[in-house]
Amino acid sequence: MNINRLPPEILKLILFEAVKEESGKPSTVANHRLLGVCFQWKNLLVTNPGFWTNVHIWLVGDQSERIHSGGMSSTPNPDRYLKMLDLQLQRAGSNLLDVFLCIDVEAELARPFFGLMLHRAPFRRWRTLEILKVNWGSYALPITREDDGFVNLESIEISYECEPDLVRLIDRTATSKMTVFHANLSFEEVQEFFPNILSKISELELGIESRGDFSPPPNVVTLTLPSFQLNSLSHILHLTLTYRQSITPFFIHDWTNLVSLDFIVGDLHSSLPPAQQIVSFPSLETLIIRGTLYIALAHFSAPRLRDLQFIDGWNSVLDSVDGLHEVLSHPSFLLSPSGVIEVHFPLNKKTLTDLIWAFPLMKTLKLHFEEDYDGWETVKSVFCNWRTTKRMAIQSETEATSSHSTVLMQQLVSLDLRLKWDYEEGMSEDWKVRMLKVLEDTKGTSLNEIRCSWMIRTDYMPGPGGSYILLVPSIFQTIVSPDLGPKWTPPIICQRQPDEKKGEILEDIQGNEGNNMLI
């Protein structure tokens, strides 16, 4: 079917998905590429304001002539850039805007830029704001009315520094719509410069350690910190700790209401508590542990745990595998997630078998592998010899634990394989055959779906206007994305037919894992 025969509203949805960045915002770079495809697409893009709401400004020092809007650079001509920015803001209509700022220039260059912004897109139209740096010399903001402030701002992220008068205006005019605040600041600095915002937000992320322990206000329920520096955590629902942690503070605080936890375990030799000491997380549903010292989990109890991720640290993969094997075989290990288990490093047969044995209630198992042969050999040795694997596991257990064999592989519904090597033509067909074999050999278990995706290597080449084009295998016909970071091909999916006699290959489809790829 010719895509241009689709109804305009359907084509608009398809094109919006095509230009959407990982953040969910439309990419102006991708917009400008699609403008050149045909008149129909151009007309659809320029008449729909939602495609033009992501405004990306980069105006720095001697390179002030190289200014970006949505990642697209202009010719070395500030006047031409302002015309391009003016055109984008006109196309955005009256929609709220997502703005990125990196400005480090003198007042004479900042003045025409902000003159245009305040005319076409006053601060009251800014929905989100990301500040890398704002330094404009002696320029002064011409704000005279309260409703010219950031009354519709919902989130702000400050990475480096910001002009004091802009900081004061943001904090003074922020309303209850402001919910998210991320900054490379300490808690004391947030208290000093953003007291109004601090009293309103529900999500707070700090990049710098504070001078001492502090208590976040009760309105903050999602918190990201470098390390434990808290007096009270009873109202926190979601906690992320970005520096390596001793597990000793876990025994001090009340975790009654915590729903999700993401942390990195530090050195255990000086902080490991006696085996009988247990930290209780009665409400915890999601747990992400990073590093290699997973043995810390032997001291955790989380009866409502649904999802658990093991993410390797800066050590070798072997250290991560050893750390996982150590905690799985520990007699005090109590966690039994009922949802998704994800392991971000390749496992050997022994550790994968132990993991399946240790988590009889999991519904989905996500495994990452580095090499094609090793990945398949591990999967085959465990799942294609399942009856032998199960018998060996039972024989290695005591009488007390072998009674659990009746539920082994009776809850696992989906196996999701993430393959981190370069895709080569024919690999998808090979893995379809392999996936069918796994389903055939696990007949009689609850496993009825296998997914397989390849990582897209982040190889870039220069693109038009200073942007970058992401190079991917041609078989996926994937177009460009300005986003960095890991991306995955659309998964191939193999499902068991209802009679469980044979697996069935479904069409290659793009799920959430496709990460905004264009098909």
Side-chain angles (χ1 to χ4, degrees):
M1 179 180 179
N2 188 330
I3 191 173
N4 287 328
R5 294 180 181 175
L6 292 172
E9 59 273 15
I10 301 299
L11 181 57
K12 181 179 76 171
L13 292 175
I14 293 173
L15 294 183
F16 191 82
E17 286 299 312
V19 302
K20 196 162 64 172
E21 297 177 348
E22 231 171 79
S23 62
K25 303 170 185 175
S27 165
T28 309
V29 173
N31 287 345
H32 279 272
R33 289 203 184 90
L34 296 184
L35 285 175
V37 172
C38 64
F39 176 79
Q40 181 183 358
W41 287 24
K42 178 178 180 178
N43 184 64
L44 190 148
L45 263 69
V46 299
T47 56
N48 283 276
F51 284 91
W52 305 97
T53 57
N54 192 14
V55 181
H56 192 122
I57 308 299
W58 187 285
L59 183 59
V60 179
D62 294 335
Q63 298 183 4
S64 59
E65 297 174 344
R66 179 182 170 84
I67 307 174
H68 296 66
S69 176
M72 181 189 64
S73 68
S74 72
T75 57
N77 186 327
D79 292 334
R80 184 170 182 268
Y81 161 70
L82 290 175
K83 291 179 181 178
M84 293 174 63
L85 179 60
D86 190 16
L87 180 60
Q88 177 182 351
L89 294 175
Q90 289 183 58
R91 289 173 174 172
S94 59
N95 284 20
L96 296 180
L97 304 175
D98 302 300
V99 182
F100 171 89
L101 295 179
C102 182
I103 300 175
D104 190 8
V105 295
E106 294 303 319
E108 58 268 20
L109 283 177
R111 190 171 292 108
F113 160 69
F114 270 99
L116 172 63
M117 288 296 292
L118 295 176
H119 171 64
R120 291 287 186 195
F123 292 142
R124 63 178 177 272
R125 284 186 51 205
W126 293 25
R127 175 177 53 197
T128 66
L129 175 58
E130 183 179 350
I131 297 174
L132 181 60
K133 182 177 184 179
V134 173
N135 176 19
W136 52 49
S138 59
Y139 176 72
L141 284 174
I143 304 299
T144 57
R145 299 190 330 223
E146 191 71 19
D147 63 355
D148 283 330
F150 295 87
V151 293
N152 286 303
L153 199 63
E154 298 173 5
S155 71
I156 182 170
E157 180 175 343
I158 302 176
S159 300
Y160 183 46
E161 65 176 290
C162 185
E163 283 286 343
D165 54 347
L166 183 58
V167 167
R168 287 190 291 268
L169 179 65
I170 292 172
D171 185 65
R172 178 170 55 85
T173 60
T175 68
S176 58
K177 294 180 180 180
M178 172 73 76
T179 59
V180 178
F181 185 85
H182 296 179
N184 193 31
L185 301 172
S186 67
F187 186 75
E188 292 86 359
E189 290 170 321
V190 175
Q191 281 184 309
E192 179 180 356
F193 299 115
F194 298 97
N196 179 43
I197 287 178
L198 187 59
S199 68
K200 292 177 168 57
I201 55 173
S202 60
E203 179 177 330
L204 174 63
E205 178 176 334
L206 302 176
I208 297 178
E209 291 186 300
S210 299
R211 291 189 290 270
D213 291 350
F214 65 92
S215 297
N219 50 285
V220 174
V221 296
T222 300
L223 188 60
T224 299
L225 301 172
S227 59
F228 276 112
Q229 291 186 294
L230 300 167
N231 290 322
S232 173
L233 275 170
S234 58
H235 62 284
I236 300 298
L237 303 181
H238 310 279
L239 178 64
T240 299
L241 302 168
T242 57
Y243 290 2
R244 295 190 180 197
Q245 307 295 319
S246 161
I247 68 168
T248 302
F250 284 105
F251 294 88
I252 301 173
H253 294 286
D254 176 14
W255 304 101
T256 302
N257 297 312
L258 193 69
V259 174
S260 68
L261 173 63
D262 183 341
F263 73 109
I264 309 170
V265 184
D267 181 16
L268 291 177
H269 296 297
S270 59
S271 62
L272 194 62
Q276 64 271 19
Q277 282 193 269
I278 298 296
V279 185
S280 178
F281 297 90
S283 302
L284 194 67
E285 297 179 1
T286 300
L287 176 58
I288 301 174
I289 182 169
R290 304 170 187 268
T292 60
L293 301 174
Y294 308 125
I295 190 62
L297 297 184
H299 300 273
F300 286 12
S301 171
R304 297 183 60 183
L305 188 63
R306 187 181 67 245
D307 301 330
L308 174 60
Q309 291 189 46
F310 297 93
I311 301 179
D312 49 329
W314 300 270
N315 303 69
S316 69
V317 170
L318 289 177
D319 290 336
S320 298
V321 173
D322 289 344
L324 182 56
H325 176 74
E326 181 183 14
V327 69
L328 293 177
S329 58
H330 197 283
S332 298
F333 183 60
L334 303 174
L335 301 181
S336 185
S338 61
V340 179
I341 304 291
E342 183 166 6
V343 183
H344 289 253
F345 47 89
L347 299 180
N348 54 39
K349 175 184 176 181
K350 170 62 176 170
T351 307
L352 178 55
T353 303
D354 290 346
L355 182 139
I356 295 172
W357 179 260
F359 300 124
L361 301 181
M362 67 178 169
K363 302 294 191 300
T364 299
L365 176 58
K366 293 186 178 182
L367 299 173
H368 293 237
F369 292 105
E370 299 284 352
E371 301 292 340
D372 180 85
Y373 177 79
D374 292 339
W376 168 238
E377 285 300 309
T378 300
V379 171
K380 180 177 68 172
S381 65
V382 173
F383 291 94
C384 294
N385 299 292
W386 180 246
R387 291 166 182 81
T388 302
T389 302
K390 177 179 176 180
R391 187 163 53 250
M392 291 173 59
I394 294 173
Q395 290 172 353
S396 67
E397 298 294 317
T398 65
E399 282 294 323
T401 58
S402 63
S403 61
H404 292 293
S405 63
T406 56
V407 297
L408 196 62
M409 277 284 284
Q410 296 306 307
Q411 300 293 323
L412 183 63
V413 174
S414 177
L415 179 62
D416 191 338
L417 305 176
R418 300 299 179 94
L419 313 177
K420 297 182 179 180
W421 54 85
D422 292 332
Y423 178 87
E424 295 178 6
E425 192 169 352
M427 277 187 175
S428 60
E429 294 301 319
D430 291 343
W431 275 90
K432 285 177 183 179
V433 173
R434 295 168 176 177
M435 292 156 69
L436 278 172
K437 178 170 175 56
V438 170
L439 286 179
E440 183 66 27
D441 287 1
T442 54
K443 182 180 176 182
T445 72
S446 58
L447 185 65
N448 64 21
E449 177 184 275
I450 304 177
R451 293 170 169 249
C452 187
S453 303
W454 282 264
M455 178 179 280
I456 300 173
R457 299 295 180 180
T458 52
D459 297 327
Y460 287 82
M461 62 174 286
S467 62
Y468 287 87
I469 296 178
L470 176 62
L471 305 178
V472 297
S474 59
I475 187 172
F476 296 113
Q477 301 175 19
T478 304
I479 312 184
V480 195
S481 170
D483 299 329
L484 301 175
K487 296 180 180 294
W488 301 92
T489 66
I492 56 173
I493 303 175
C494 183
Q495 287 184 334
R496 194 188 304 279
Q497 291 179 347
D499 61 5
E500 294 190 348
K501 291 181 179 178
K502 186 177 181 181
E504 174 187 12
I505 293 292
L506 301 182
E507 263 184 47
D508 293 2
I509 64 171
Q510 179 179 0
N512 291 333
E513 294 86 346
N515 280 324
N516 306 323
M517 299 166 61
L518 301 184
I519 305 300

